Amino acid sequence: MRTLPVRLVPGDDLIEGLQQAVSTNGCDAAFVLAGIGSLSIARLRFAGVQEPEHLVGDMELLTLSGSVSPTSAHLHMSVSTSTGDVLGGHVGGGCIVRTTGEILLALLPEWTFGLAHDPRSGYEELVVTPTVR
């Protein structure tokens, strides 16, 4: 495991930025160890709901965790709104950094992450395979 601190800047897409960081470092698998910052747009899918909620406004990124590859990401986060309400769930595409995104990744060069449909859950789920080099 190798750690990689990443700073995303205003306007960056959260998922795309993390996927790019993993790809740029020649890795096919990473986990988010920690993540903080702020968002202007958050897309959260709450438990048992099919579509993500589209949230707009000044939000603090309180927590971020999950798996990332150059082509996929399975992330969960919690955010607080400008009124202090805290929401959390599965991260959908289109989350936009407001001032900063400070994320610590654990790069796992011995592994490759992918996604495949799991009939037991009904969702695309993580597939872990050893990296062949």
Side-chain angles (χ1 to χ4, degrees), residues 58-73:
D58 294 341
M59 291 166 278
E60 292 295 329
L61 172 57
L62 303 175
T63 63
L64 181 68
S65 61
S67 58
V68 183
S69 80
T71 59
S72 65

Side-chain angles (χ1 to χ4, degrees), residues 45 67 72 74 76 90 113-128:
R45 184 176 53 78
S67 58
S72 65
H74 180 197
H76 289 202
H90 178 87
F113 288 169
L115 293 176
H117 180 76
D118 185 332
R120 297 168 294 184
S121 71
Y123 290 98
E124 297 282 302
E125 302 288 3
L126 180 67
V127 176
V128 180

Side-chain angles (χ1 to χ4, degrees), residues 18-33:
L18 295 178
Q19 289 176 314
Q20 181 64 37
V22 172
S23 178
T24 298
N25 281 273
C27 197
D28 292 320
F31 263 90
V32 175
L33 297 176

Side-chain angles (χ1 to χ4, degrees), residues 39 55-62 78-87:
L39 300 173
L55 308 168
V56 178
D58 294 341
M59 291 166 278
E60 292 295 329
L61 172 57
L62 303 175
S78 62
V79 297
S80 66
T81 67
S82 61
T83 59
D85 294 326
V86 176
L87 302 166

